[in-house]
Amino acid sequence: MATNSCSSTKKQKLNNSSSLACNGVSNGLKNGTVARPEMCYFCFDVLSSYLNCLEPPKTPNFCNDAYPIFVTWEIAKDKRLRGCIGTFGAKNLHLGLQEYAVTSAVKDSRFSPITLDELPKLRVAVSILLHFEDGSDYLDWEVGVHGISIEYHSDRGVRHSATYLPEVASKQGWDQIQTIDSLLRKGGFKGTVTPEVRNAIKLTRYRSEKISATYSEYIDHCNLLNSQSSDGAHSDSGPSSEMVDREPQELPDDWVESSNDGIISVTKTGDIAVKIHAKPGAKKNGITDMSEEGVGVQISAPPVEGEANTELVRYIAEVLGLRKGDISLDKGSRSRNKTILVAKGKLSVEEVNEKIKREMSSN
């Protein structure tokens, strides 16, 4: 899908910079030709997969043209910003949204990473940036219509930049000068803002299409896709059924359950199997509960590149008073529902159960 043509004769200008953090505020331009609700659902799919240590979702079926994009996460109830990161470099939408759905959620340095427990409270917004034009001066833009990016150089010649999306100034009730001054501070300017400083700014203006969706709207979308697919298959744009309903893993037929409704059991080879319901991204390790899903374990490591699994094995070994080599991850390396094996002869089922309950009561 092609972009709308620029209203000016100037060529659309894309600054191939690194990722930028922005101030996200709800509701930008409506009825855009590029932004689609499916993009928001895809972002929820991506973040849900990431937080649950699952494989990334299937390729969506909305357009995959290249645009500068920003992804914004906020707590829907009070519109509190939780993360907003994007890029002025044109990115193909499929990979771009997959990247920034996670980056904006867990790597915005202004906020702590979003956790799995927060997921149902979230709203996501996708901003597609269009019509980039060089401003003739720092006032060559319109509040409520344009987003702006400024660039200036410090006394030492160091380049600084900052941006606000189109909706920020009007949401804050700022005029043009207040917005420029705020952007200078955001970009790291610490001196007195004078007319000379403002006149030295290089300004780029742009517009955006913005679409947003809440987690409940995402779940409604998932349920609709499920109801339309009698055999459980989904269209390419839809999340898999595991995004909506994750059943705990069942033990293989050759395992013998012995206590706690199968949470802790002995295999026929003599190892002890412990079903784990992992909760990565926590501030500290801890055992939170024991339910039919397994032993609830919060892990102080992000669910990325095996970090959470490594920390889980280390923590369980510590709880049981064993060496890391005595503990192994048998099932669920990419899922929240996992199975940990304790090497044969190290502990009894009763001892494992007692140590886990003791740790749980101490938290």
Side-chain angles (χ1 to χ4, degrees), residues 243-308:
M243 292 290 96
V244 183
D245 187 13
R246 292 180 176 82
E247 294 295 333
Q249 294 180 344
E250 296 181 355
L251 296 174
D253 292 337
D254 62 345
W255 292 27
V256 180
E257 299 180 358
S258 61
S259 70
N260 296 296
D261 297 323
I263 295 175
I264 305 173
S265 59
V266 180
T267 72
K268 288 187 176 180
T269 60
D271 295 328
I272 295 176
V274 183
K275 292 168 67 176
I276 301 290
H277 185 64
K279 306 170 184 179
K283 292 183 178 180
K284 65 176 183 177
N285 293 330
I287 294 178
T288 60
D289 62 277
M290 296 179 72
S291 68
E292 62 180 12
E293 288 185 299
V295 178
V297 182
Q298 62 182 31
I299 309 166
S300 62
V304 59
E305 297 181 358
E307 291 184 34

Side-chain angles (χ1 to χ4, degrees), residues 41-55:
Y41 305 147
F42 181 64
C43 287
F44 267 117
D45 234 0
V46 170
L47 183 59
S48 181
S49 296
Y50 176 86
L51 294 176
N52 284 288
C53 303
L54 299 173
E55 294 292 339

Side-chain angles (χ1 to χ4, degrees), residues 299-324:
I299 309 166
S300 62
V304 59
E305 297 181 358
E307 291 184 34
N309 290 331
T310 299
E311 180 62 16
L312 172 64
V313 169
R314 188 205 66 77
Y315 175 59
I316 293 299
E318 177 184 295
V319 169
L320 299 181
L322 301 174
R323 297 180 296 108
K324 285 175 59 178

Side-chain angles (χ1 to χ4, degrees), residues 64-255:
N64 194 31
D65 292 343
Y67 294 94
I69 56 174
F70 277 79
V71 176
T72 303
W73 296 99
E74 64 181 14
I75 302 298
K77 184 176 180 180
D78 55 12
K79 297 183 179 180
R80 176 167 54 88
L81 184 63
R82 287 294 283 113
C84 181
I85 292 179
T87 180
F88 283 145
K91 285 270 195 177
N92 290 100
L93 289 173
H94 294 176
L95 288 178
L97 290 176
Q98 183 171 325
E99 175 183 352
Y100 287 106
V102 173
T103 301
S104 61
V106 302
K107 294 188 177 181
D108 189 329
S109 61
R110 298 170 295 176
F111 308 99
S112 61
I114 289 175
T115 65
L116 188 63
D117 291 339
E118 290 181 280
L119 195 61
K121 306 173 185 177
L122 295 175
R123 178 193 302 273
V124 67
V126 173
S127 296
I128 310 293
L129 310 188
L130 307 163
H131 305 324
F132 283 73
E133 301 170 309
D134 291 330
S136 59
D137 57 38
Y138 71 92
L139 294 176
D140 189 15
W141 61 284
E142 185 177 344
V143 173
V145 174
H146 297 108
I148 56 173
S149 172
I150 66 167
E151 180 180 321
Y152 73 93
H153 290 80
S154 68
D155 294 337
R156 298 182 178 180
V158 178
R159 174 185 170 275
H160 295 267
S161 63
T163 188
Y164 279 144
L165 295 178
E167 60 272 16
V168 173
S170 57
K171 182 71 175 181
Q172 297 297 325
W174 293 334
D175 60 23
Q176 287 179 299
I177 292 180
Q178 288 173 316
T179 305
I180 291 295
D181 290 357
S182 176
L183 264 184
L184 282 166
R185 298 302 184 197
K186 182 181 177 184
F189 186 81
K190 300 186 184 303
T192 301
V193 180
T194 64
E196 290 74 22
V197 170
R198 298 188 189 104
N199 283 324
I201 288 171
K202 180 180 179 182
L203 182 140
T204 301
R205 68 187 186 193
Y206 58 89
R207 303 195 185 200
S208 77
E209 294 177 9
K210 189 170 186 178
I211 193 76
S212 66
T214 63
Y215 182 80
S216 62
E217 290 169 332
Y218 161 68
I219 292 298
D220 289 343
H221 172 71
C222 294
N223 290 335
L224 177 62
L225 290 176
N226 287 337
S227 68
Q228 292 175 343
S229 182
S230 58
D231 61 356
H234 299 280
S235 66
D236 288 344
S237 65
S240 62
S241 59
E242 64 189 355
M243 292 290 96
V244 183
D245 187 13
R246 292 180 176 82
E247 294 295 333
Q249 294 180 344
E250 296 181 355
L251 296 174
D253 292 337
D254 62 345
W255 292 27

